[in-house]
Amino acid sequence: MKTIMNRLTAKNILMLVISFVCMFFLTTASPFYEFNRSVDANTMYTVGKGLLHGLLPYKDLFDNRGPLIYLIHSVNAVFSYHSFTFIYVIESLLLFLDIAYINRILSMKLSARTAMFCSLLFIPLAFTSRIFYYGDLPEEYAMTFVLILIYSCIQYNWFEMPRRYYIVNGCFVAILFWIKYSLVIPWIVFFVYIGIACLLTKRFKQLFMIILDALIGFLSVTLPIIILYWSTGALKFLFNDYFYLNLTHYHVQNASLAYTLFKMEYPTFGFSHHLVIIRTIYYLMIALFICAVVRYMRETNMHDSNKVLLVLIVFIDILATYEVGGASFSYYLFACEPFLLFYLFELGLVVDKYLYNKKYIIWGLSVIALLGIFVTNRNYRTSMYVTKPSHSYQYEYSKIINKSKDKSLLNYRFLDVGLYTYTGTYAKDRFFIRNNISYKKMDESQREYLHSMKYKFVVAKYRKGWKLFKKDREFLAKHYKRLRHMRFDYKDHSQGWIDLYVRK
């Protein structure tokens, strides 16, 4: 308790308040938004609600994320069955840790005011709409943990790092492994490097203690999950759905190395015009990043072996993240955004050089940096305080469904659009949505659900070049009546239409 009170400095309290205020507008999980438009967030929440009703992920409700992310959303459902308020609190606390650790790292070489300015500038730079989307990303946990890992590598030589850091990093690996296993790349680099270094320097006893401490941290999170799934007879579903299907059926994993390198060398960033200018800026930013990393390594007082370790973590993580999904979906790269601190360090050196004694200018720049969230992130435009409710299909469709005593709903052949959330219902069939895994059993089961006619409401999506199969359209026309026809527009999906049907 005394340690906590000592940490409650004016600076930390200010950063905490700023984190909650900024995240209030950045993530659509916050109370500022009546509806969370993220299909991934709604999917995780629907599975999380199922846990409260004894339905286990994979065995009873199918999705391809890690079990721990569903548990977090299950806790959210305990507090609110119709909103994401607990998730908003978690995201705000993670943002606080992000800027707190960036501030710690930058304060080692920059003045206090400049370090604070750069820490606050990190928010609009990292949480852009193009990468952060609607929020509630598994990558948010990775961002915080990577920053703590970087801090520990800077603060301590690898052979002098306190044992508790290895235990904590073991916990971080386990948490991320059971949220989204592709996020553990930095720790693979970290532990492999430490292991090789111990062997080369003949620190065999220290290597044994490091492995022991890391295992203690990893197993403290992993064992309860394994025991839960083993005791309920669902262990095979966990390994089949979370590991095997992700590795063999998830389309992002099918990107070849050649495709990844092509996307890295010739990115479009979603634009079709002015590509010469965009790519020129892109190459300049890569060059500046490399220079910033080199500059930081020269300025810092780290042991040379730690510098090598940190460089390996940075560049291997970026390349590997591109390979596992970043080449296809930009939000994968959110986990790499802790490395923006090297840009910020370079900027901080310039600010300290020319504005060191001009505190009011630095404070003014800090305020402008915070206001930058409304420039780089446009989620606030989807709030009901900005957009008319009638423009939201979640609002219109949930209003119709909530008037009925029978709220049974089939989310047919596409991702969860949030109607389970805003009708206060939960999914009871295993394949309650059609997610991004190419899995024949899922398609067949969804069609069986539709043709059983046990659902009063069916919601279906289509767009140009993609629509329901002919037999499904004929079945809906015969047995269901189309009530509403509205547009949808996601950051991560094409524009199209969503139809609501009711059983005749």
Side-chain angles (χ1 to χ4, degrees):
M1 186 66 181
K2 186 178 180 180
T3 304
I4 295 175
M5 294 304 295
N6 290 336
R7 295 282 177 88
L8 290 177
T9 62
K11 183 172 73 172
N12 284 340
I13 293 173
L14 175 63
M15 288 191 291
L16 184 63
V17 172
I18 288 172
S19 298
F20 272 85
V21 172
C22 287
M23 199 54 74
F24 187 74
F25 298 104
L26 291 171
T27 177
T28 56
S30 88
F32 184 62
Y33 302 90
E34 187 172 356
F35 299 101
N36 191 334
R37 300 180 69 192
S38 168
V39 291
D40 289 339
N42 281 294
T43 300
M44 294 184 288
Y45 192 30
T46 300
V47 178
K49 286 195 295 186
L51 270 171
L52 298 181
H53 298 275
L55 301 175
L56 277 176
Y58 318 117
K59 179 184 179 183
D60 302 307
L61 295 174
F62 179 82
D63 194 41
N64 61 321
R65 276 161 278 259
L68 200 53
I69 199 69
Y70 304 126
L71 179 61
I72 295 170
H73 285 77
S74 182
V75 175
N76 179 83
V78 172
F79 292 99
S80 174
Y81 213 68
H82 298 82
S83 69
F84 292 77
T85 304
F86 178 75
I87 299 300
Y88 158 67
V89 173
I90 293 293
E91 288 185 281
S92 299
L93 292 175
L94 289 173
L95 177 57
F96 164 67
L97 291 174
D98 293 340
I99 60 177
Y101 272 93
I102 288 175
N103 186 264
R104 281 190 181 189
I105 294 169
L106 296 179
S107 294
M108 295 176 184
K109 286 294 178 181
L110 304 177
S111 66
R113 282 192 296 269
T114 301
M116 177 61 78
F117 160 63
C118 292
S119 301
L120 299 181
L121 182 59
F122 173 80
I123 302 174
L125 292 180
F127 290 80
T128 66
S129 298
R130 187 166 292 277
I131 291 183
F132 187 58
Y133 284 14
Y134 297 112
D136 196 2
L137 298 175
E139 286 76 10
E140 289 178 75
Y141 300 89
M143 174 184 281
T144 302
F145 296 167
V146 167
L147 284 168
I148 296 173
L149 176 64
I150 292 172
Y151 173 78
S152 63
C153 289
I154 296 171
Q155 185 73 1
Y156 302 99
N157 295 331
W158 67 266
F159 47 83
E160 296 174 347
M161 195 174 291
R163 290 185 61 184
R164 67 179 183 275
Y165 275 82
Y166 291 109
I167 296 175
V168 168
N169 278 292
C171 288
F172 287 169
V173 172
I175 291 170
L176 294 178
F177 185 77
W178 295 112
I179 285 179
K180 186 175 180 180
Y181 58 75
S182 62
L183 297 174
V184 303
I185 296 166
W187 287 268
I188 294 175
V189 178
F190 175 75
F191 282 112
V192 169
Y193 182 89
I194 296 297
I196 294 173
C198 283
L199 291 174
L200 293 177
T201 56
K202 298 182 179 180
R203 289 182 168 92
F204 303 119
K205 182 179 179 181
Q206 187 174 2
L207 176 59
F208 174 78
M209 297 307 299
I210 289 172
I211 294 172
L212 178 63
D213 292 338
L215 279 175
I216 290 171
F218 184 82
L219 293 177
S220 65
V221 176
T222 299
L223 282 179
I225 295 173
I226 297 297
I227 291 171
L228 170 64
Y229 277 85
W230 174 76
S231 62
T232 54
L235 197 59
K236 65 178 182 180
F237 291 97
L238 169 65
F239 284 97
N240 182 72
D241 295 359
Y242 182 43
F243 295 107
Y244 176 73
L245 290 180
N246 267 324
L247 289 169
T248 59
H249 290 66
Y250 190 37
H251 65 86
V252 171
Q253 304 284 358
N254 293 331
S256 65
L257 179 59
Y259 172 75
T260 301
L261 294 175
F262 175 80
K263 291 290 286 186
M264 292 182 71
E265 188 175 356
Y266 301 104
T268 64
F269 302 104
F271 297 100
S272 56
H273 304 290
H274 309 297
L275 286 182
V276 174
I277 297 174
I278 291 168
R279 287 172 178 165
T280 300
I281 295 173
Y282 170 70
Y283 297 137
L284 288 174
M285 293 302 292
I286 291 177
L288 179 60
F289 179 74
I290 295 172
C291 291
V293 173
V294 172
R295 177 77 170 271
Y296 185 83
M297 296 305 164
R298 287 178 178 174
E299 295 285 340
T300 190
N301 297 322
M302 283 190 294
H303 191 277
D304 287 345
S305 60
N306 278 51
K307 292 179 181 179
V308 175
L309 171 58
L310 189 54
V311 168
L312 289 174
I313 288 174
V314 170
F315 289 101
I316 291 177
D317 188 31
I318 293 172
L319 292 171
T321 301
Y322 244 100
E323 173 62 19
V324 300
S328 300
F329 293 123
S330 59
Y331 65 85
Y332 275 69
L333 299 176
F334 190 80
C336 295
E337 294 207 332
F339 308 138
L340 286 173
L341 72 89
F342 296 107
Y343 284 124
L344 295 172
F345 174 73
E346 195 73 21
L347 175 64
L349 292 176
V350 176
V351 172
D352 265 350
K353 182 177 180 179
Y354 295 103
L355 301 174
Y356 182 76
N357 294 319
K358 300 177 181 179
K359 62 180 181 180
Y360 294 109
I361 294 179
I362 295 177
W363 290 346
L365 290 173
S366 299
V367 173
I368 294 172
L370 288 176
L371 293 176
I373 64 173
F374 297 107
V375 178
T376 63
N377 188 300
R378 299 183 179 184
N379 282 341
Y380 69 92
R381 296 185 180 185
T382 67
S383 168
M384 288 299 159
Y385 297 102
V386 179
T387 305
K388 293 181 180 180
S390 59
H391 293 169
S392 165
Y393 64 84
Q394 287 109 328
Y395 176 84
E396 291 296 323
Y397 292 4
S398 60
K399 185 171 66 173
I400 293 171
I401 296 171
N402 284 330
K403 289 179 181 179
S404 174
K405 292 183 179 180
D406 181 3
K407 297 182 182 180
S408 56
L409 170 71
L410 176 61
N411 193 107
Y412 192 59
R413 286 192 62 79
F414 66 106
L415 298 165
D416 191 332
V417 295
L419 292 181
Y420 292 114
T421 300
Y422 300 109
T423 58
T425 59
Y426 66 96
K428 299 177 182 178
D429 287 310
R430 186 178 182 218
F431 298 102
F432 66 99
I433 59 167
R434 167 69 169 85
N435 65 18
N436 288 327
I437 284 185
S438 301
Y439 190 29
K440 185 177 179 181
K441 186 176 180 180
M442 176 167 51
D443 296 329
E444 293 174 346
S445 297
Q446 277 236 310
R447 180 166 288 112
E448 289 177 7
Y449 301 156
L450 174 66
H451 288 249
S452 69
M453 291 189 62
K454 63 180 179 179
Y455 296 96
K456 182 174 181 179
F457 297 97
V458 175
V459 60
K461 180 188 79 170
Y462 63 92
R463 62 179 183 267
K464 185 178 180 180
W466 190 96
K467 56 185 178 181
L468 298 179
F469 291 112
K470 182 179 178 180
K471 56 183 174 182
D472 293 334
R473 298 198 303 271
E474 291 175 347
F475 183 85
L476 284 169
K478 182 177 180 181
H479 299 285
Y480 284 83
K481 176 185 177 182
R482 190 171 76 174
L483 291 179
R484 293 299 300 270
H485 173 72
M486 296 185 69
R487 285 190 70 83
F488 75 86
D489 183 11
Y490 298 126
K491 285 186 174 65
D492 49 346
H493 294 80
S494 310
Q495 292 182 341
W497 300 93
I498 286 186
D499 293 344
L500 177 67
Y501 296 87
V502 64
R503 191 173 55 213
K504 292 180 181 179

